[in-house]
Amino acid sequence: MRLPLWGPAPRRLTLVRLAGEIARSLSVIGRVAVEGEVYRPQSSRSGWVFFVLRDRAAQLPVACPARHTRRCRTVNGERALVVGTLVWGNDRGQLVLEAEEVTPVGEGAVAALIAETRARLAAEGLLDRARRPLPRLPAAIGVVCGADAAVRKDIESVVAARFPGYPLSFAETTVSGPGAAQAIVEALSRLGCQPGVEVVILARGGGDATSLLPWSDEELCRAVAACPVAVVSAIGHESDRPLCDEVADLRCGTPSIAAHSVVPDRRALEAELSGMLERSVRYIASRRDLVGRRLERCETTGALAVALDRARRRMGNAGERLEWAHPATAAHASRQRLAACDWRRPFASHVASGRQRLDALQRHARSLSPQHVLDRGFAVVRRADGTVVRGPDEVKLGDSIAVTVARGIITATVDDAGHRGRQ
């Protein structure tokens, strides 16, 4: 019996099956974050970016899909952190790190990345756009922050002091490191579309330039500008200035300051409402006193006495005229005179006279109406600036004119302006 020279007998596999087993074994590794030097970056026509990530002992080809190129800064010789997944390419038989993010490592490289992003945003007018006003009394306040309790406790303590129980909606997410920018964008989108949320605070504690880099991500800045509600940026400390500060509707030095700016002061609101109520009561009282004084100046007794005196005089005159007649005869005569009074006739005659005058005015207005003239076959010619043409000398060959007739407007071009005589 002959034993194999190199251990157990090999398994016979097809090339396709072997490639599949390699791919399955790579899936166990999952997402990785690898740091190294960018070497020989190249771009393809389809928008992909390829380069080699290397250090002193190893190197690995990296491919960045077109959909991720905004988050992939590839400068030859620059040290960078690449986040992605290992992929086996069957067509080339090559192991490739497919990148999701390529971020520079080091303050100089980070500053250069932020400067390039700022230039692109400024070119599109996102830095100089009109800021949305903050609501004075928002229905609810959204807060994007990390999973650590420090920032959340700071905001909650401000709410407890200014307006206890004010509605807050927190979205805790990754705020630094690989994948943080995408996580922040998703959290902002959720809060911005949540019913009742009328303002969102982006809150994070302090850190170095590299840890704050996700807050200068270009996609995050665009999401802040496109958010349907106002956004307040409160990232780091007063000296920290990520790019989202320049795009947000309000920039605050710390999360506590942001909470003071957004959460209303209940005591101040109650004092203001009380003042408004007192002013309203004083105004109503002053108006009531003014009306009362005006009523007091009205001499109702004197006016009534004058009216009664006038009525007595009229009744006295009527009595003198009827003294000669018998009371029964006088009463009968009075009834006849009242029956003879046709009180409807003056009103009807006034209406008929007014109708005649109105008809006459309408006929006169129709005779003067330009539309009446057009209905008779005449037309009004206007130049392009709207002025009326009164003679051939006011137009030139090729001028556009508008001819207004009884039922519309005809647009024409002057072909002959030579007949200048008056018809």
Side-chain angles (χ1 to χ4, degrees), residues 40 52 59 103 117 176 230 249 282 289 326 356 358 382:
R40 297 181 62 184
V52 175
Q59 64 180 18
T103 56
T117 305
S176 63
D249 299 290
R282 288 197 299 269
D289 295 342
H326 191 272
Q356 291 176 358
L358 179 61
R382 291 183 173 86

Side-chain angles (χ1 to χ4, degrees), residues 156-350:
E156 288 177 339
S157 63
V158 173
V159 173
R162 292 178 64 84
F163 202 125
Y166 205 90
L168 298 176
S169 181
F170 286 90
E172 295 183 350
T173 184
T174 304
V175 294
S176 63
Q182 182 63 32
I184 298 169
V185 170
E186 294 174 356
L188 175 61
S189 300
R190 288 197 307 271
L191 286 180
C193 298
Q194 184 172 317
V197 173
E198 297 182 351
V199 61
V200 177
I201 300 176
L202 302 179
R204 188 201 188 282
D208 57 15
T210 303
S211 62
L212 295 179
L213 187 57
W215 300 96
S216 296
D217 181 76
E218 183 173 351
E219 186 174 346
L220 174 59
C221 293
R222 296 180 185 277
V224 170
C227 187
V229 299
V231 179
V232 178
S233 178
I235 310 302
H237 302 299
E238 184 64 34
S239 59
D240 297 323
R241 291 293 182 122
L243 271 183
C244 65
D245 284 356
E246 303 180 29
V247 184
D249 299 290
L250 177 66
R251 188 259 174 184
C252 296
T254 63
S256 298
I257 297 176
H260 275 87
S261 302
V262 175
V263 180
D265 188 345
R266 180 168 183 168
R267 288 186 292 271
L269 287 176
E270 291 175 349
E272 184 177 353
L273 291 175
S274 298
M276 294 173 63
L277 181 60
E278 292 177 0
R279 289 193 296 272
S280 300
V281 171
R282 288 197 299 269
Y283 175 77
I284 294 174
S286 63
R287 294 293 298 176
R288 180 192 60 194
D289 295 342
L290 177 61
V291 172
R293 290 192 297 271
R294 288 180 178 177
L295 288 175
E296 290 174 356
R297 288 196 296 268
C298 294
E299 298 181 358
T300 56
T301 304
L304 181 59
V306 173
L308 287 174
D309 184 63
R310 185 183 300 114
R312 289 192 189 97
R313 289 197 301 271
R314 294 180 63 183
M315 291 297 293
N317 295 334
E320 292 176 358
R321 288 195 297 270
L322 294 176
E323 281 181 354
W324 58 271
H326 191 272
T329 304
H332 179 70
S334 298
R335 284 194 295 270
Q336 286 182 340
R337 293 181 65 183
L338 288 173
C341 292
D342 188 2
W343 57 271
R344 296 182 182 85
R345 182 177 300 172
F347 178 75
S349 63
H350 282 304

Side-chain angles (χ1 to χ4, degrees), residues 389 391-399 401 413-421:
V389 179
D393 55 341
E394 297 181 1
V395 295
K396 303 187 298 295
L397 292 180
D399 285 356
I401 58 175
T413 304
V414 177
D415 293 334
D416 185 4
H419 299 287
R420 303 180 185 274

